[in-house]
Amino acid sequence: MTRAQPILDALVLRAEETGFAAHGLHVLVDDETAEHHWTPDVRREVHSAAKGVCVLAVGIAADDGVLDVDAPVGASLPGIPLGPGVQEVTLRHLLTMTSGIDMPWSPTERSDWPDLAVEFLRRPSRGRVFQYANASTYTAMRVLETRVGDVGTFVADRLLAPLGIEDVAWERCPNGYVAAGEGIALRTEELARIGRLVRDGGTFDGRRVVDGRWCRAMHTDWVHRDGAGPGYERYAMAGWDGPGRSWRLHGAYGQMVIFDDHGRAVVTVTADDHAGADAFAAAVADELARRLP
């Protein structure tokens, strides 16, 4: 029995006892893995876990020297009118949700406006305050597009192909740009490969894919949120702090990549249970802390 298997067994039991509607679980401890599936491991939408993909894509472009995350985004999107204060917003601000631009989420937001990025950037900024918005990541990928060409192709070639993940389609807006902070469908095990890449500081099977600073940026330099509930009190580049000593990429309905902050374990979850996701993430964190002190 591997060190991953007892953790998996405990989490499978937890899901079944609580009724958490998981599709799949993948546990990585050091170089050992174990997985369980309640349903076929087909590709499913990972929702906001895709924001981690966006951060890694920006990191690769920055490593190439074609992108500066601290440059004003308006310089990369000339001709777009900027709201008051938006001239100071950088790509880093977009990825850490600190643009201060208020853009309430809508399930049809990519088609609600002639151009979502234009609508987002024309609104005023309240300064460096946390304001979670899918439109923020979408706009960040529009900036990346000006430096690398089609973002879907760039991600497929530079990030997913080195992980052995092929033929991934990314949803697009009516203008043809990638959905960015959502819209990617992956199998549980494929999402776990992204988790392994991040845990291992940007390398996969001995190959450097992205500099480790971008993996660390997902769980350092936290933005603090006053009045938020447990697990939502601090945000970095795509990563939420907690629960416990863990941090995570977290998509709607329970798509989660949960990292033990000691750097050994990653638990990947795919599910259809939005209400139960936080409690299950806490159970994962407790199990990792108990078995990997």
Side-chain angles (χ1 to χ4, degrees):
M1 180 179 292
T2 70
R3 283 164 289 185
Q5 190 65 50
I7 296 172
L8 177 77
D9 292 343
L11 294 176
V12 168
L13 180 62
R14 172 77 177 198
E16 293 177 347
E17 287 179 341
T18 60
F20 179 63
H23 289 301
L25 277 172
H26 183 285
V27 177
L28 169 68
V29 179
D30 299 327
D31 290 326
E32 300 170 348
T33 63
E35 59 185 300
H36 180 88
H37 301 279
W38 288 266
T39 62
D41 192 22
V42 299
R43 283 178 169 167
R44 295 183 176 89
E45 162 76 77
V46 300
H47 297 285
S48 285
K51 291 179 172 65
V53 172
C54 295
V55 169
L56 294 171
V58 166
I60 292 169
D63 293 343
D64 288 347
V66 301
L67 190 68
D68 179 359
V69 298
D70 294 310
V73 298
S76 296
L77 300 169
I80 293 182
L82 304 179
V86 177
Q87 68 274 9
E88 299 175 1
V89 172
T90 68
L91 193 54
R92 187 184 301 276
H93 297 145
L94 294 179
L95 294 174
T96 57
M97 302 293 172
T98 56
S99 72
I101 302 171
D102 185 16
M103 186 76 177
W105 179 80
S106 160
T108 57
E109 65 182 354
R110 295 196 303 273
S111 58
D112 286 343
W113 316 98
D115 188 315
L116 178 58
V118 171
E119 177 62 27
F120 183 69
L121 293 175
R122 77 170 186 82
R123 298 182 176 212
S125 168
R126 296 187 292 117
R128 305 289 73 79
V129 297
F130 184 87
Q131 193 75 33
Y132 191 86
N134 271 3
S136 187
T137 312
Y138 173 85
T139 304
M141 293 303 96
R142 289 286 295 274
V143 173
L144 179 61
E145 183 106 3
T146 68
R147 297 295 187 264
V148 302
D150 183 76
V151 171
T153 301
F154 181 76
V155 167
D157 292 345
R158 297 294 303 279
L159 175 60
L160 299 181
L163 307 185
I165 303 172
E166 300 178 344
D167 301 321
V168 173
W170 205 336
E171 288 182 15
R172 294 176 181 264
C173 73
N175 294 323
Y177 300 107
V178 297
E182 59 183 345
I184 299 176
L186 295 169
R187 292 187 285 273
T188 308
E189 190 274 333
E190 291 174 333
L191 185 57
R193 293 184 216 176
I194 295 172
R196 180 190 284 266
L197 174 74
V198 173
R199 185 204 66 171
D200 292 348
T203 64
F204 190 83
D205 285 346
R207 174 181 176 181
R208 172 65 61 187
V209 179
V210 62
D211 190 88
R213 64 184 171 135
W214 304 107
C215 302
R216 293 189 295 274
M218 293 184 180
H219 61 113
T220 55
D221 296 329
W222 296 108
V223 177
H224 294 262
R225 302 177 61 212
D226 294 334
Y232 296 92
E233 296 165 321
R234 300 200 302 174
Y235 188 82
M237 278 194 181
W240 292 100
D241 188 25
R245 74 182 193 195
S246 70
W247 68 276
R248 71 198 188 283
L249 302 177
H250 192 151
Y253 307 103
Q255 324 321 308
M256 298 182 288
V257 187
I258 303 169
F259 299 83
D260 179 67
D261 204 35
H262 287 193
R264 293 182 60 192
V266 184
V267 175
T268 303
V269 183
T270 54
D272 189 7
D273 193 339
H274 194 73
D278 289 342
F280 193 75
V284 170
D286 289 345
E287 191 64 26
L288 293 178
R290 185 171 73 87
R291 294 188 181 270
L292 301 172

